[in-house]
Amino acid sequence: MNTLRQDALAGVVVFLVALPLCLGIAQASGLPPFVGLLTGIIGGIAVTALSPSRFAVSGPAAGLVTIVVAAIETLGSFSAFLTALALAGVLQLLLGVLRAGRFISLVPASVIKGMLAAIGILLIVQQIPVALGTEEETRLADLADGETSFSTSAIAVAAGGLLVLWLWGSAPIRRIKSLRWIPGPLIAVLIGCLTTLLLTRIDPQALAALPRIALPEFASLGELVGELESPAWGALRNPAVWTVAVTLALVASLETLLSQEALKKMRPQNPPPSPNREMFAQGVGNLLSGALGAMPITAVIVRSSVNVSSGAQTKLSIFIHGALLLICGLWFSGLLTLIPLASLAAVLLYTGYKLATPRLFIEQFRQGPAQYVPFLATIAGILVFGMLAGIGIGIAVQVAFSIWRSHRHSLQLARYDDHYVLRIQQNLTFLHNPHLLALLAKIPEKSVVIVEHDSAGYLDPDVQAVLDDFAESAPQRGIHLNQWPVGSH
């Protein structure tokens, strides 16, 4: 009971942050806004009950919007997508049981940052037409033909929302203690609602050009359940469903575990939450989401950080946020229809900017090509080929860079008059042969070659064969060998 007041306040604040994000993420995914609320409810109640973390808030994530849109388009229906989502939940359950959470440390930081930046770019590209008030099917490329009509009221609402979000993140506003607990996205949405009410009275024509949220009203839980879409289990025979499921499971797990790592730095827990138990909890959540007609769930760092900064002490704050989302969806859906889509677009555009901020690109370039090349390769791969392929490309480029740098430092050749010192700095495999052959080719006739190989505990047979060939030809060339590796002539 001592923590009830703090948890209650934190739960209300998290709810105020989560509400516009849940609605906006569903809208951006081309789904009814209530689906976003349902996802937040499942994440806030079911996942929280199983999660080992006291502070991590789960729900729909902006980072998965582009995957959801592409997957629904590929699979042809939302019901087929729900099948893939339920399957992704099962895969996450298996990953948790197999204790695969520890492998998050194998994903390079450059690839993770590239993934987040690509998500931000895709989010911005997707939301610009919404902010301009164009038709639902309009894409960014269609805006250049000059035939697309814009909505002045939508543009004004989106611009006002972006201005509010920018001001709310500025130092002068952050210094005002009484405003810190009020989330910027909520203020942006409230301004959009006030605009709707104002236009209702003074300019109905402008109001008609301002697209708004459309929510069904439910008189009971029974009506709500009746509106939910069910997965098409027959779609399991479609190989594309399995591809989408693997993509969702990997990306959702990656985002969840990254959020947990970031949360550890903000509010340490002792003992730290098990990543494997978290994977299991997220798997249950996504299995439920797929079965009930919701969206993918992850632990979200934005809502989690708000939960911590609002003074949460226990899981109760997250349960309260989930319960408030449920109450809002059941009995206050009429009020939510005041929210313009342009307000939600502003929230998502700002979120995309934060994910792909220019500062991130500058930081990566300052760290050199070993960081920015995989970073850019990940972004390009995701933008061109999709999320899973892009992450794979980024990891492959990072591995190639690591191998190349390892090769450059594994062997060194130094000259002292007619003496050459070949230093073997580490264990060698057949992949080192090209570099080794290039160095040996630099040694002229009538030289003395000294090999320092104390740091190498293993030489691949192919490497040893190269050394043996050089040793065989050395006497004919007048080359004297000293401390040649064991196993050669």
Side-chain angles (χ1 to χ4, degrees):
M1 291 298 292
N2 294 334
T3 62
L4 179 60
R5 187 183 66 82
Q6 290 171 288
D7 284 331
L9 177 61
V12 171
V13 175
V14 174
F15 160 72
L16 294 176
V17 173
L19 178 61
L21 289 173
C22 288
L23 296 173
I25 290 166
Q27 191 70 43
S29 302
L31 299 172
F34 182 76
V35 172
L37 279 182
L38 177 61
T39 310
I41 293 164
I42 295 171
I45 297 174
V47 175
T48 302
L50 297 170
S51 172
S53 174
R54 296 199 304 271
F55 309 115
V57 182
S58 296
L64 292 176
V65 166
T66 52
I67 297 178
V68 173
V69 172
I72 293 175
E73 185 177 345
T74 300
L75 300 179
S77 69
F78 183 49
S79 57
F81 171 78
L82 292 176
T83 306
L85 178 56
L87 183 57
V90 173
L91 293 176
Q92 284 184 297
L93 284 170
L94 290 174
L95 290 173
V97 170
L98 295 173
R99 299 183 178 181
R102 63 185 183 273
F103 294 117
I104 183 63
S105 59
L106 293 177
V107 181
S110 59
V111 174
I112 292 168
K113 291 175 181 177
M115 179 191 77
L116 295 175
I119 288 169
I121 293 168
L122 289 168
L123 208 52
I124 290 169
V125 169
Q126 186 189 52
Q127 290 304 301
I128 286 176
V130 181
L132 296 176
T134 60
E135 297 293 327
E136 286 187 16
E137 299 300 321
T138 304
R139 297 183 180 182
L140 194 60
D142 300 330
L143 300 179
D145 60 14
E147 298 179 5
T148 305
S149 59
F150 304 125
S151 167
T152 306
S153 51
I155 293 171
V157 168
L162 286 171
L163 180 61
V164 167
L165 290 166
W166 175 74
L167 288 173
W168 226 252
S170 64
I173 295 292
R174 287 203 303 266
R175 281 197 289 266
I176 304 173
K177 290 184 178 180
S178 59
L179 296 179
R180 283 183 189 171
W181 70 275
I182 305 175
L186 178 67
I187 301 300
V189 168
L190 286 177
I191 289 175
C193 293
L194 291 174
T195 304
T196 300
L197 292 172
L198 190 63
L199 292 178
T200 302
R201 296 193 172 212
I202 65 172
D203 195 348
Q205 188 174 355
L207 179 65
L210 183 64
R212 302 192 306 279
I213 281 180
L215 278 177
E217 292 193 24
F218 304 111
S220 66
L221 279 173
E223 282 190 23
L224 185 154
V225 172
E227 287 292 325
L228 299 179
E229 193 157 349
S230 301
W233 297 113
L236 285 171
R237 294 189 293 269
N238 182 357
V241 167
W242 290 82
T243 303
V244 170
V246 171
T247 302
L248 286 171
L250 291 180
V251 177
S253 299
L254 185 63
E255 186 162 343
T256 290
L257 295 177
L258 290 175
S259 298
Q260 291 282 39
E261 289 298 312
L263 201 55
K264 284 180 188 176
K265 298 174 183 176
M266 296 178 61
R267 186 78 173 271
Q269 295 183 54
N270 193 21
S274 163
N276 301 311
R277 284 182 58 198
E278 185 62 43
M279 295 264 277
F280 186 87
Q282 297 291 328
V284 171
N286 280 314
L287 181 56
L288 277 174
S289 285
L292 296 178
M295 296 171 62
I297 289 175
T298 71
V300 190
I301 189 58
V302 174
R303 276 158 264 179
S304 302
S305 61
V306 168
N307 189 37
V308 168
S309 61
S310 300
Q313 301 297 312
T314 69
K315 286 184 179 183
L316 181 60
S317 63
I318 312 174
F319 283 119
I320 289 172
H321 126 273
L324 289 173
L325 288 174
L326 177 60
I327 292 168
C328 191
L330 282 175
W331 292 293
F332 296 99
S333 58
L335 289 175
L336 298 181
T337 58
L338 294 174
I339 301 174
L341 298 184
S343 290
L344 300 179
V347 172
L348 292 167
L349 283 169
Y350 190 73
T351 302
Y353 173 79
K354 297 288 280 186
L355 288 172
T357 177
R359 184 184 302 172
L360 175 62
F361 286 80
I362 293 169
E363 288 174 355
Q364 292 300 109
F365 274 93
R366 283 177 176 170
Q367 293 179 32
Q371 287 297 308
Y372 73 71
V373 172
F375 170 75
L376 294 176
T378 303
I379 294 173
I382 290 173
L383 295 179
V384 176
F385 301 109
M387 188 65 65
L388 199 58
I391 292 172
I393 289 170
I395 292 175
V397 172
Q398 182 69 76
V399 169
F401 246 96
S402 298
I403 291 173
W404 179 76
R405 294 190 74 179
S406 172
H407 274 52
R408 299 300 298 173
H409 295 91
S410 59
L411 294 162
Q412 290 182 346
L413 183 66
R415 179 182 178 182
Y416 304 93
D417 295 328
D418 62 341
H419 284 61
Y420 287 81
V421 178
L422 178 64
R423 296 187 178 92
I424 301 177
Q425 310 274 34
Q426 63 185 49
N427 295 341
L428 301 183
T429 70
F430 68 94
L431 295 173
H432 293 91
N433 274 353
H435 191 203
L436 176 60
L437 287 166
L439 293 179
L440 293 176
K442 293 180 180 179
I443 300 173
E445 295 181 353
K446 299 180 181 179
S447 303
V448 176
V449 181
I450 303 170
V451 180
E452 295 180 359
H453 56 89
D454 293 341
S455 299
Y458 171 77
L459 297 179
D460 188 285
D462 289 326
V463 173
Q464 193 65 59
V466 170
L467 294 172
D468 289 349
D469 289 343
F470 186 86
E472 282 185 5
S473 64
Q476 288 80 25
R477 300 172 59 197
I479 297 176
H480 177 69
L481 304 179
N482 192 358
Q483 299 180 23
W484 202 250
V486 175
S488 60
H489 298 296

